[in-house]
Amino acid sequence: MKVKLSRGDLLFNAVNITLCGIIFIIVVYPLVYVLSASFSSPLSVLQGRMVLWPIDPRINAYIDVFKHKDIMTGYKNSLVLVVFGTTTNFILTFIGAYTLSRKDLFGRTFLTMVFAFTMFFSGGMIPTYLVVRNLKLINSMWALILPGAISMYNMVVMRTFFQNSIPDSLVESAEVDGASQLYIIFHIILPLSNAIIAVICLFYGVAHWNQYFQALLYINSRAKYPLQLFLREILLLSQLNDVVDTAGWVDALLQSEAIKYALIIVASVPVMVAYPFIQRHFVRGVMLGALKG
């Protein structure tokens, strides 16, 4: 049965569609622009002639990026960091969030305040470095994982999800039937938490993938550099060539501009490829895990 919309409904839908279209363009255009710029003539980009589609297409920038053999080493190290780091983050965050979501936990409010304190105050860079050094984690991947093993924000989002989306009666009935806590976690809580798991893993995974400053502080072996440090190195070398190569400084400057855009694409592609597969869970998890009251 076809429902006839009133004039007000039609106007409301038209405004919504217009606003969504404008937001879509604002979000998508920079991505398309960077991708097109990485394949375009650097001169056309600097002159502003490239607006949307590549002009004088070429792949020179990508050739210059991937001719550095360390790129694949960086990809491997970043993937290892993302896998182990996200797994560690999720396990610890889940333990904290599920525990704080239990109404029968004694001192739950006080413990939440203790955790929340870390959102506003920290020891600072130098004390943190001294702690990492004394734990003998320097030049180890664990130096990039353990100091930030739990994000209080992510823990609060997950705790709120458990409180609002999983009925207490469901857990209580399982306990009455004699189910252990481990059974409840693995057979009830986790299967019902796919959405929030996707959200938390994406947050942690993207943070690890973009790991840069901590790696600069704690990692001193090139064999253990994550991708972001190698990309930074390539960018700095291209800018240094602008100064050193005085004979062809114009060409070097143009090529360094193209390399900047290519580096953005190289660093962003894995995240952009992974996101569509978890988009459905991500949107639902963000809505269900949003703070309420």
Side-chain angles (χ1 to χ4, degrees):
M1 179 177 178
K2 188 175 181 180
V3 178
K4 184 177 180 180
L5 298 178
S6 65
R7 182 177 301 177
D9 291 334
L10 292 174
L11 179 61
F12 179 77
N13 289 341
V15 172
N16 274 346
I17 294 173
T18 302
L19 290 177
C20 288
I22 293 174
I23 294 173
F24 176 79
I25 293 174
I26 292 174
V27 172
V28 171
Y29 178 73
L31 301 176
V32 176
Y33 180 87
V34 171
L35 179 62
S36 298
S38 67
F39 286 103
S40 296
S41 164
L43 184 59
S44 65
V45 176
L46 289 176
Q47 291 177 340
R49 293 190 291 113
M50 198 223 75
V51 178
L52 185 62
W53 304 113
I55 295 179
D56 189 14
R58 59 187 65 188
I59 59 173
N60 295 3
Y62 291 95
I63 294 175
D64 286 341
V65 170
F66 283 100
K67 74 179 181 182
H68 294 268
K69 60 182 180 180
D70 293 328
I71 285 293
M72 300 314 298
T73 300
Y75 261 111
K76 182 193 71 174
N77 292 338
S78 287
L79 288 174
V80 171
L81 177 61
V82 168
V83 172
F84 284 96
T86 303
T87 302
T88 303
N89 295 143
F90 169 73
I91 292 174
L92 296 178
T93 302
F94 174 83
I95 292 174
Y98 177 68
T99 302
L100 293 176
S101 70
R102 295 297 302 265
K103 295 182 179 179
D104 57 351
L105 175 66
F106 177 76
R108 182 177 67 161
T109 302
F110 174 74
L111 291 175
T112 302
M113 293 176 61
V114 171
F115 280 111
F117 181 84
T118 63
M119 295 179 65
F120 308 101
F121 301 96
S122 66
M125 181 176 68
I126 294 177
T128 303
Y129 180 86
L130 294 176
V131 171
V132 172
R133 187 193 65 181
N134 292 337
L135 291 175
K136 302 186 185 305
L137 296 177
I138 295 296
N139 203 34
S140 167
M141 282 292 179
W142 291 109
L144 309 180
I145 299 174
L146 296 182
I150 295 180
S151 166
M152 181 55 191
Y153 174 81
N154 292 341
M155 184 188 294
V156 170
V157 171
M158 181 172 275
R159 185 206 63 174
T160 306
F161 175 88
F162 292 148
Q163 290 177 336
N164 296 332
S165 303
I166 300 180
D168 294 334
S169 58
L170 187 62
V171 177
E172 291 171 357
S173 62
E175 291 175 341
V176 170
D177 291 337
S180 65
Q181 285 298 324
L182 288 178
Y183 183 92
I184 292 173
I185 289 173
F186 286 104
H187 291 84
I188 298 177
I189 304 299
L190 287 177
L192 295 176
S193 305
N194 290 334
I196 198 64
I197 290 174
V199 172
I200 298 303
C201 288
L202 182 63
F203 283 168
Y204 280 126
V206 171
H208 284 303
W209 182 260
N210 292 328
Q211 190 81 259
Y212 157 69
F213 187 67
Q214 289 81 0
L216 194 62
L217 289 178
Y218 304 131
I219 305 298
N220 49 42
S221 171
R222 290 181 60 82
K224 298 180 180 180
Y225 275 8
L227 177 65
Q228 305 302 330
L229 284 189
F230 285 121
L231 298 183
R232 169 182 175 271
E233 186 178 273
I234 294 172
L235 182 59
L236 291 178
L237 286 176
S238 67
Q239 293 175 342
L240 181 62
N241 288 336
D242 296 347
V243 178
V244 176
D245 188 9
T246 56
W249 69 271
V250 174
D251 292 337
L253 175 62
L254 293 176
Q255 190 60 17
S256 69
E257 288 296 318
I259 288 176
K260 291 178 184 178
Y261 293 109
L263 292 177
I264 294 174
I265 298 301
V266 169
S268 304
V269 162
V271 177
M272 296 174 66
V273 169
Y275 178 75
F277 294 99
I278 61 175
Q279 179 183 9
R280 177 169 57 89
H281 296 298
F282 179 79
V283 174
R284 180 170 177 266
V286 168
M287 297 300 295
L288 293 176
L291 301 181
K292 298 181 181 178

